[in-house]
Amino acid sequence: MKQIEEENIQSQAISFLRFPLIVAVVLIHSVGKPPLREVAFSWSVDGPMLWHHLFRYVVVDLLCRCAVPGFFILSGYLFFYRTNQWNKQAYIGKLKKRIRTLLIPYLLWNLLGAAYIFYKGKLGGIGDFLRCFYDYYPGKGVNLWPADIPLWYVRDLMLMALCTPLIHILIRRLRHWYLLILFVCFIIPDVPEIKGMCYSSLFFFSLGAYFSINGQNLFLGICRYRYAVFTATTSLLLLVLYFKFGRGTNVTWIYDAYIALSTFLVLIIAYWLVKRGTAKPTTWLCQRVFFIFAFHNLRFVGNAFNQKADYISALAEGNPLVATSSFLLCAAGKIILALLVYELLRRAMPRLLELLDGRKQPESSPSIPAS
C-alpha cells in the first residue's frame, strides 16, 4: 500500500515539475542584452543597471539552468519505467512510440524554422536545408542547434533513445561507476565530445535511467541524500559567487557541479511539496508544456519578443525596474502567445496540433519529459 502511495506521489511530482521547468527554459531564452558573460557586475561600470544584471544572473544562471537537466533526468527515468523485461522487442516498441511523440514533432517544428530561414533569404541550398534538422546554428562547444533552437533537446533525446541498449548494458555492468565517469566528463572542460551531443545530455538521461533500471523510485532515491545534496549545493553556490564576484571569473567545473546538484535539490523540493499537499499538478498546463517549449523560441517568435524587450530597456535609459519588468514580461508574453496559438489550433486544426504536439488530444502529458 505504501509503495502504491509513493508511486502516486512520484507521478504527481513529475507532472508538477513540468510547467515550472518550462517556465525556466523560457526565462533562459528571454535574458536580453547585454549577454551576462559580457556584464562587468561593477557599479562604476553598470551604475543602477547593476541591480538588473544581478537579477538576471540569479534568475537565469543560478536558478533556471537546472531546467534542461531536470527534463533529461525525467526522460531517462520514464524511458525504462515499468519495463519488466528489457529485450529487442521492448526496445523496438519504445522507438516506434517515439516516432509519434518525438520524431514527427521534431521534423515539423524544424520545418517551420527552416521556412523562416528561407523567408529571410538565408537558406543557401539543400545542404543548409538539411542542416536545419540537426546543426544549422552554431551553439556552445559541439552542441549545435537545429532551426528551432530549443529542439536540440529533442534531437539529443532521440539519440539517447537509440543508444539505450548500450546505456542499459553499461548501467547493469558498471552501475554507479558509469555515472561517475560521465559526471567527471561533464564537469571537466575540453573533454572530446560527439558533434551535436554533449556529456550533460548523456549524464542526466543516464542518471534517470539508472533509478528506473534498478527498480528504484526516482524521488525517494535522490531524497535519501537530501542533506548531502543541500550541503553540497550550498557550498558550490558560495564558491560560484566567490569566483564570480570576488575574482571576476567563472570556474567551469564548479559551476557545472553546482548545476547538477541544484537539479537534484529541485527534484527533492518538488517531491516534498507534493507529498505535503502544498503543490499539485495542473493538468491543463501540463498538456501544453511541449507546445510552449517548441513554440516559444522559434526565430520569428523569440526575436520579436526579445527585440521589443531590449528596445524598451534602451528607452528606459538605465532604469533597472523597467529593464527587469521587460525581461519578465518578455518571457510571460511568449508563454501566453504559445497558449493562445495552442488553443486556436485545438479548436480549428486539432489534427495538426496532434502532429505538432506528439500526442492525441486530449490525453495526458506531452512528450517532453515523458520520453
Side-chain angles (χ1 to χ4, degrees):
M1 186 68 180
K2 185 177 180 181
Q3 183 178 358
I4 296 175
E5 181 183 353
E6 289 295 344
E7 288 290 311
N8 183 51
I9 293 171
Q10 174 177 258
S11 177
Q12 290 188 52
I14 290 173
S15 296
F16 166 70
L17 272 169
R18 286 170 173 159
F19 187 70
L21 290 183
I22 203 61
V23 170
V25 170
V26 177
L27 283 166
I28 290 171
H29 295 150
S30 307
V31 68
K33 295 181 180 179
L36 287 170
R37 64 180 178 274
E38 297 177 8
V39 175
F41 291 102
S42 167
W43 183 269
S44 60
V45 176
D46 301 315
M49 287 297 287
L50 173 63
W51 301 113
H52 170 60
H53 298 324
L54 286 173
F55 180 82
R56 289 194 302 152
Y57 175 73
V58 170
V59 170
V60 173
D61 281 358
L62 298 184
L63 296 180
C64 291
R65 292 293 177 186
C66 65
V68 174
F71 276 132
F72 271 118
I73 291 174
L74 298 180
S75 297
Y77 183 80
L78 292 170
F79 189 94
F80 292 98
Y81 185 60
R82 290 181 176 172
T83 304
N84 297 323
Q85 189 173 7
W86 179 252
N87 51 32
K88 182 179 178 181
Q89 184 178 358
Y91 173 63
I92 293 175
K94 287 182 177 293
L95 291 187
K96 285 181 178 178
K97 178 183 177 183
R98 278 148 185 82
I99 292 175
R100 176 174 62 86
T101 61
L102 293 178
L103 179 59
I104 292 175
Y106 180 81
L107 294 175
L108 290 177
W109 284 106
N110 280 307
L111 189 60
L112 279 173
Y116 177 73
I117 294 170
F118 175 76
Y119 168 75
K120 299 294 285 186
K122 297 180 179 179
L123 203 61
I126 188 65
D128 275 357
F129 175 74
L130 293 177
R131 287 179 55 227
C132 287
F133 297 91
Y134 193 80
D135 63 350
Y136 183 82
Y137 293 109
K140 180 182 178 182
V142 298
N143 193 20
L144 308 175
W145 297 329
D148 188 0
I149 291 175
L151 265 66
W152 71 264
Y153 164 85
V154 177
R155 178 200 64 203
D156 280 21
L157 194 56
M158 290 189 291
L159 292 174
M160 296 297 108
L162 290 173
C163 295
T164 46
L166 178 59
I167 292 172
H168 189 276
I169 291 172
L170 291 171
I171 288 175
R172 281 297 191 193
R173 295 188 178 180
L174 300 180
R175 299 184 67 81
H176 60 275
W177 293 108
Y178 166 65
L179 296 177
L180 182 60
I181 292 169
L182 285 181
F183 179 71
V184 171
C185 291
F186 163 55
I187 65 172
I188 293 179
D190 303 322
V191 176
E193 294 180 311
I194 300 171
K195 180 182 179 182
M197 187 172 70
C198 51
Y199 285 115
S200 61
S201 308
L202 186 56
F203 168 67
F204 290 111
F205 182 89
S206 297
L207 179 64
Y210 176 88
F211 286 99
S212 194
I213 289 170
N214 288 294
Q216 298 180 35
N217 182 297
L218 173 64
F219 292 89
L220 289 180
I222 295 176
C223 283
R224 284 203 302 265
Y225 308 102
R226 58 188 179 275
Y227 298 115
V229 168
F230 177 78
T231 303
T233 304
T234 305
S235 301
L236 287 168
L237 174 60
L238 293 174
L239 284 173
V240 168
L241 294 174
Y242 167 73
F243 282 104
K244 181 70 175 179
F245 300 108
R247 296 289 189 87
T249 184
N250 285 318
V251 180
T252 304
W253 73 267
I254 294 177
Y255 180 72
D256 287 343
Y258 163 75
I259 295 301
L261 270 295
S262 66
T263 304
F264 305 155
L265 187 59
V266 166
L267 296 179
I268 292 168
I269 292 171
Y271 171 80
W272 284 106
L273 287 175
V274 171
K275 186 171 184 176
R276 292 169 62 89
T278 306
K280 292 182 180 180
T282 304
T283 303
W284 184 84
L285 288 174
C286 289
Q287 291 173 347
R288 289 150 176 79
V289 164
F290 182 81
F291 192 88
I292 295 170
F293 167 75
F295 177 86
H296 81 277
N297 212 39
L298 283 167
R299 299 301 275 183
F300 55 88
V301 177
N303 283 352
F305 277 95
N306 291 345
Q307 288 169 7
K308 290 291 184 184
D310 291 337
Y311 178 71
I312 292 171
S313 297
L315 284 180
E317 295 182 349
N319 187 315
L321 182 59
V322 173
T324 300
S325 299
S326 66
F327 160 53
L328 296 176
L329 288 173
C330 175
K334 292 178 183 178
I335 294 172
I336 292 170
L337 181 60
L339 292 174
L340 290 174
V341 173
Y342 180 98
E343 188 62 24
L344 178 65
L345 290 175
R346 189 182 70 83
R347 293 171 181 269
M349 292 177 279
R351 179 55 184 158
L352 176 60
L353 179 59
E354 287 181 6
L355 294 173
L356 289 170
D357 208 31
R359 64 184 183 89
K360 293 182 179 180
Q361 306 291 321
E363 293 177 357
S364 59
S365 310
S367 60
I368 183 169
S371 300

